[in-house]
Amino acid sequence: MLTTVGLCDFSSSSVPASTCLIIYLEKWRAPGAPACMSNSRTVQSHKPHFLALHCQEVGGKNYEASMSHVGSFVKELLSSDALKEYNRARVYLDEDYKSKEQFTALGSFYFIHETLKNIQQFDFNAKTFEKVVGRETCSETLESRSSLEKAKFPKDYYPQCKWSRKGFIRTRWALADWTFDLVNIHLFHDASNLVAWENSPSVYSTTRQKALGFVLDRITDQRYEKVPYFIFGDFNFRLDSKQFIESLCSTATMQTVTTGKTNEVDKLIFRESDNDKKVVLQLEKKLFNYVNQDVFRENNGTSLLEFDKELAPFKDRLIELEISFPPSYPYSEDSTQGKEYMNTRCPAWCDRILMSPSARDLFFKPENEEKTVTYDNIGANVCMGDHKVTPRLRPHTHCS
């Protein structure tokens, strides 16, 4: 499922005017026809010189049964017409689900166009760069691969869960005079809408903040030279649930329904004070059923951004371009309902492209950012899975 695309301008005195395309895939599944068509058209129309795809949950939710299909998908992808001019590739797949202490289900794909001559990849053991030659797929013992850094978050970060597949994979690249890191990330989700509602910020938001801080500290520590970095993947960022619901249902009355045995809250029902006590929102552990989904689509949902606060603690370390696309999650997985949200969670911008200030300065011209870069999405009208958004950074100039 394709969810994020980014295009960055690579033009300097030592690099021919060209384009870097960053694509981020979320929640693994073999893409259906509409998604594949959107993806291949994007690649073929822009002809990027460097193409990166980041995946989470490789093998899908039922990974034990589905992991065997990953290899055939990768082979089909590598042989596709859209990638026939990409004669070098590096594919890293964390497929070893039996190793629960290390399994992250992350997948990172990198494709280099035949016209891009001078590109190297970093060896984290030797601390040197090596020329990228040919196509390689690595799916076993990624921990021993010196071409990447992989880590799973410590168990105590998410004590509510027996185990998780959350973590990150980092690779480092050198393009002529430019060096940068690409980080594939998957942060913790909201396990319960009811728990998320209890506090502001929620316990889940606090956990994600801790995990993201862990990643940033790791990729900027003293072991290696500090370089510009892009982090893109499923951050699982959510709106501040308590503040948002209180605003959304400010004139409604709340009914609390508890279970008979434990007296725990089972559901919250918000009703209009008049209008025959019409239910406007019903909230359960895995239900967020609001009466009018248009609020998340009107003006691309940007009026809700005041409740999107999880990036704020990192404002000095991470930059994001202005969001002008609808919340990326949770879209319907029904192929006939490409624009509809499921009523499982409150829609939110889970999927993002973030960058260090130095990465922004390296690839974009801040004083002219609005004119040179478009941050939007693709596949807006087709089903691409529950994480649909595909933030795309597209330069208006220097595209080959």
Side-chain angles (χ1 to χ4, degrees), residues 115-286:
T115 58
L116 186 57
K117 304 302 181 183
N118 188 12
I119 186 166
Q120 298 176 307
Q121 186 177 5
F122 191 64
D123 184 311
F124 285 93
N125 287 345
K127 296 186 178 180
T128 58
F129 282 94
E130 297 180 354
K131 186 176 181 180
V132 180
V133 179
R135 289 179 166 186
E136 294 181 4
T137 298
C138 307
S139 58
E140 297 181 359
T141 59
L142 293 189
E143 295 76 25
S144 64
R145 301 292 303 188
S146 61
S147 54
L148 59 83
E149 179 183 14
K150 172 195 152 190
K152 187 173 180 176
F153 296 121
K155 289 182 179 179
D156 60 354
Y157 277 31
Y158 200 53
Q160 303 94 327
C161 187
K162 290 186 296 184
W163 74 285
S164 74
R165 292 169 284 175
K166 306 303 190 291
F168 77 91
I169 289 179
R170 166 168 67 152
T171 56
R172 176 169 292 187
W173 305 86
L175 178 61
D177 299 329
W178 297 348
T179 303
F180 54 92
D181 283 349
L182 298 179
V183 181
N184 185 356
I185 192 170
H186 194 185
L187 297 183
F188 302 101
H189 64 287
D190 280 15
S192 169
N193 294 325
L194 295 171
V195 174
W197 146 266
E198 291 175 354
N199 296 292
S200 171
S202 75
V203 62
Y204 305 121
S205 175
T206 302
T207 299
R208 285 188 288 271
Q209 179 179 338
K210 186 176 181 180
L212 182 53
F214 171 87
V215 174
L216 291 175
D217 289 344
R218 281 287 294 270
I219 66 175
T220 60
D221 62 18
Q222 301 301 316
R223 294 172 300 152
Y224 308 104
E225 178 185 358
K226 293 181 181 180
V227 302
Y229 53 83
F230 287 89
I231 307 179
F232 53 108
D234 181 5
F235 292 84
N236 261 315
F237 287 165
R238 309 299 170 98
L239 303 185
D240 186 307
S241 184
K242 188 170 184 64
Q243 292 188 9
F244 174 61
I245 291 175
E246 288 176 348
S247 174
L248 191 68
C249 303
S250 59
T251 61
T253 58
M254 184 181 76
Q255 174 189 355
T256 302
V257 180
T258 59
T259 58
K261 295 183 179 180
T262 63
N263 204 37
E264 293 181 353
V265 176
D266 185 57
K267 66 180 68 174
L268 300 174
I269 301 173
F270 297 82
R271 301 178 183 273
E272 291 185 356
S273 300
D274 48 19
N275 195 21
D276 297 326
K277 307 295 182 180
K278 179 181 177 181
V279 175
V280 293
L281 173 65
Q282 184 166 321
L283 195 70
E284 299 178 19
K285 180 179 180 179
K286 294 185 178 181

